[in-house]
Amino acid sequence: MHYYLTTNASRALDEISDNIDHVNVLRGNLWNEESKFDQEKDKAHFRDYDAACDRVKNFYKEQHEKQTVEFNIKARAAFNSKQQIRMSIWEAMEMLDTLIDESDPDTDLSQIEHLLQTAEAIRRDGKPEWMQVTGLVHDLGKLLFLFGSQGQWDVVGDTFVVGCKFSDKIIYPHTFEGNPDCQDPIYSTEHGIYEHHCGLDNVMLSWGHDEYLYHVLKNQSSLPDDALAMIRYHSFYPWHREGAYAHLMNEKDHKYLEAVRAFNPYDLYSKSDDSCDPAKLRPYYEKLIAKFFPPVLDW
């Protein structure tokens, strides 16, 4: 009799678990609901570049002067030809933990703290697992800084399109005066080397951690396309926050814009949240990582 009750109880628990899984699948359709964790935050204190320290201002001046078409072509060629480093997602997070982002006016925390803050904010709002793990990995492209970058200017900071006129919606737009592409008769025009509504897949964004990580993960994960768009465009603030580059977008880009805007609050406003304990959170996120990534990736 005892065995019979235990078996039935086990079946009941399995049924409940299946129902929960079904609800979670349905909740996956709610990834684009408005974020709730940040409702009480004073958002005026975030991305205040007027009040930014000299470290941030000097960073953007260097980035804007050096991110040329010529550099971007060479950077992509170097990525495609270099010997890969093999390691797990969590090993990559731990390796990145020594970096402080010189472009960020909102936090001096280590990168693993920021990754966990982002993922935990998404988790608290009940967003699907694929979005949680996207928050966890979204900045791992900053490993470029440890893989032989020329500085932080080709790794971090807001991204923008190269090969056409630099938008006045980019942070500190006057600092592009020292970029030689500003004087080029083609690169300095509105469309530059691109066709009208050609799609963002067909333009070059300034090389950095977003673009690098997108290329690392697009063939080494089971993340959905919306997650890959969140990774590729999360630093593309002139586009997803300021409305620039609409003349280059195609129909698919409007869908991706919704995804990036849904992700952005978790990336930006979680930086003021309480610190996270990596050791405590690691078991949960390692299980999540295993659902979407192989044990070891080529970096």
Side-chain angles (χ1 to χ4, degrees), residues 181-197:
D181 287 359
C182 282
Q183 310 305 321
D184 187 276
I186 296 176
Y187 301 156
S188 60
T189 62
E190 182 181 18
H191 287 84
I193 59 177
Y194 309 115
E195 298 289 337
H196 195 61
H197 294 313

Side-chain angles (χ1 to χ4, degrees), residues 172-224:
Y172 307 134
H174 64 281
T175 57
F176 283 102
E177 294 171 359
N179 188 309
D181 287 359
C182 282
Q183 310 305 321
D184 187 276
I186 296 176
Y187 301 156
S188 60
T189 62
E190 182 181 18
H191 287 84
I193 59 177
Y194 309 115
E195 298 289 337
H196 195 61
H197 294 313
C198 62
L200 297 182
D201 278 342
N202 297 306
V203 306
M204 273 196 301
L205 295 183
S206 53
W207 179 254
H209 70 285
D210 294 23
E211 190 74 359
Y212 166 72
L213 186 63
Y214 166 75
H215 285 290
V216 168
L217 297 184
K218 66 178 181 177
N219 296 320
Q220 296 189 91
S221 75
S222 58
L223 293 174

Side-chain angles (χ1 to χ4, degrees), residues 83-101:
Q83 185 172 355
Q84 304 290 343
I85 296 173
R86 290 179 58 80
M87 61 183 166
S88 69
I89 291 288
W90 198 270
E91 286 171 333
M93 291 170 61
E94 291 178 330
M95 178 180 284
L96 190 63
D97 203 31
T98 59
L99 176 68
I100 300 296
D101 186 338

